[in-house]
C-alpha cells in the first residue's frame, strides 16, 4: 500500500476506466473511508448511494452529456490552461473529460454522495460531504482504482436526484464513477506553491517556503 503523501501526489482524475467489475469488498473499504470523514457537529447527514444499474447510470449520463454540450465543451474551447498546465496538457485534459462524458455510465460502480437537508447556499454548502468524497477518492487511489470527483450533474440537479429516487430535503453533491484505470496514476500538475500561500496578510509572501 503506498504511503499517504504518495497517494495524494499521484491521485490524478482517472477518467478512462475499464468496465470490468469491482469487488464489493473494495467498494466497502471505500465507503468506510468516506464515513470516517468529519461532518459539522458530527451530524453525519450523509447518505452514500452505490449505483450499479446500467439503466439508472445511462439516464444520468444523458444529462451529464447535455451539460458538456451546453457548458463544459464551450468553456474548454475558449479558456486558458490552468496553473501548472500548458495548452497541450489542457487539450489532453479536455479529451479525457469528453471521454468520461461519453463513457460515464460504463464505469461499473458509482458512489453518489448525498446530504440530507444539506443544500445551503452559504459558504459552508457541501462542507459536510466533500471531506467524505475526498476520503473516498484517496481510498480508490490507495486500492489502485480510478475515479474522478464529478459534480457536473448538479446542473440538472432536480432531474438527476429524481432518477436516484432522493426524497425531498436530500441532494446529491458528487458522483464518483469508479473502475480499474486504463492508464497509470501519475504526478499532478499544479502551479508553484509560493503563488498561493501568504503570511499574515493577503498578498504578503509566506516566509516558510
Ligand atoms: C468540485 C469539483 C468538481 C469537479 N467536477 C468534475 C466533473 O463534473 N467532471 C470531470 O470530468 N471532472 C470534474 N472534476 C475534476 C477536476 O477537473 C480535476 O480535479 C482537475 O482537473 C485536476 O485534475 P488532476 O487532479 O488530474 O490534475 C471536479 C473537481 C472538483 C474539485
Amino acid at each position: 500500500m503506498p504511503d499517504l503523501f504518495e497517494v495524494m501526489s499521484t491521485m490524478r482524475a482517472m477518467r478512462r476506466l475499464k468496465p470490468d467489475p469491482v469487488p464489493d469488498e473494495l467498494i466497502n473499504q471505500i465507503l468506510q473511508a468516506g464515513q470516517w470523514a468529519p461532518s459539522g457537529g458530527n451530524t453525519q447527514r450523509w447518505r452514500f448511494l452505490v449505483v450499479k444499474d446500467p439503466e439508472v447510470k445511462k439516464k444520468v449520463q444523458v444529462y451529464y452529456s447535455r451539460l458538456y454540450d451546453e457548458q463544459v465543451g464551450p468553456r474548454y474551447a475558449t479558456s486558458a490552461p490552468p496553473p501548472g498546465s500548458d495548452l497541450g496538457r489542457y487539450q489532453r485534459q479536455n479529451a479525457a473529460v469528453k471521454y468520461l462524458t461519453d463513457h460515464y455510465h460504463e464505469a461499473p460502480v458509482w458512489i453518489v454522495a448525498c446530504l440530507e437537508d444539506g443544500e445551503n447556499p452559504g459558504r459552508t454548502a457541501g462542507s459536510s460531504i466533500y471531506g467524505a468524497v475526498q476520503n473516498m477518492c484517496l481510498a480508490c487511489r490507495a486500492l489502485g482504482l480510478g475515479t474522478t470527483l464529478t459534480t457536473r450533474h448538479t446542473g440538472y440537479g432536480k432531474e438527476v436526484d429524481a432518477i436516484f429516487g432522493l426524497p425531498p430535503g436530500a441532494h446529491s453533491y458528487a458522483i464518483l464513477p469508479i473502475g480499474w484505470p486504463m492508464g497509470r496514476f501519475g504526478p499532478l500538475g499544479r502551479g508553484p506553491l509560493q503563488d498561493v500561500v501568504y503570511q499574515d496578510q493577503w498578498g504578503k509572501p509566506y516566509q516558510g517556503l
Side-chain angles (χ1 to χ4, degrees):
M1 187 78 66
D3 102 310
L4 179 62
F5 284 86
E6 193 192 333
V7 165
M8 287 192 288
S9 65
T10 59
M11 197 196 74
R12 291 198 296 117
M14 300 302 270
R15 297 188 174 94
R16 292 185 170 87
L17 303 171
K18 298 176 186 167
D20 310 13
V22 176
D24 281 342
E25 67 236 44
L26 299 185
I27 295 300
N28 296 346
Q29 275 185 278
I30 295 162
L31 291 164
Q32 181 59 80
Q35 203 207 11
W36 280 330
S39 55
N42 197 21
T43 45
Q44 303 174 51
R45 290 210 188 94
W46 44 48
R47 296 291 180 272
F48 304 107
L49 196 60
V50 179
V51 180
K52 297 184 185 180
D53 184 336
E55 270 181 47
V56 173
K57 289 186 287 177
K58 180 63 201 174
K59 280 186 196 161
V60 175
Q61 187 266 347
V62 170
Y63 287 108
Y64 193 76
S65 180
R66 193 181 294 175
L67 284 156
Y68 183 89
D69 295 338
E70 289 172 353
Q71 294 175 20
V72 179
R75 196 166 61 227
Y76 266 96
T78 54
S79 55
S85 190
D86 56 36
L87 191 58
R89 212 170 164 158
Y90 196 44
Q91 282 169 345
R92 286 196 295 281
Q93 179 180 320
N94 186 19
V97 167
K98 177 76 172 95
Y99 181 93
L100 179 63
T101 300
D102 295 340
H103 297 268
Y104 202 46
H105 52 301
E106 293 166 20
V109 189
W110 288 2
I111 295 178
V112 185
C114 308
L115 260 188
E116 279 191 328
D117 298 317
E119 203 152 58
N120 168 357
R123 280 193 196 196
T124 59
S127 48
S128 281
I129 191 71
Y130 287 123
V133 169
Q134 181 71 358
N135 269 10
M136 292 193 285
C137 292
L138 291 167
C140 285
R141 166 67 190 91
L143 294 168
L145 285 161
T147 195
T148 302
L149 194 178
T150 74
T151 60
R152 188 194 307 162
H153 74 281
T154 58
Y156 283 106
K158 270 190 191 148
E159 291 83 349
V160 171
D161 286 356
I163 294 169
F164 292 135
L166 267 57
H171 303 280
S172 62
Y173 278 70
I175 298 176
L176 299 182
I178 297 171
W180 299 106
M182 290 184 185
R184 295 209 189 127
F185 294 101
L188 301 171
R190 302 288 186 263
L193 188 55
Q194 61 264 34
D195 287 2
V196 295
V197 187
Y198 303 141
Q199 182 163 338
D200 299 328
Q201 295 280 298
W202 183 279
K204 280 182 68 182
Y206 169 55
Q207 300 301 315
L209 278 168

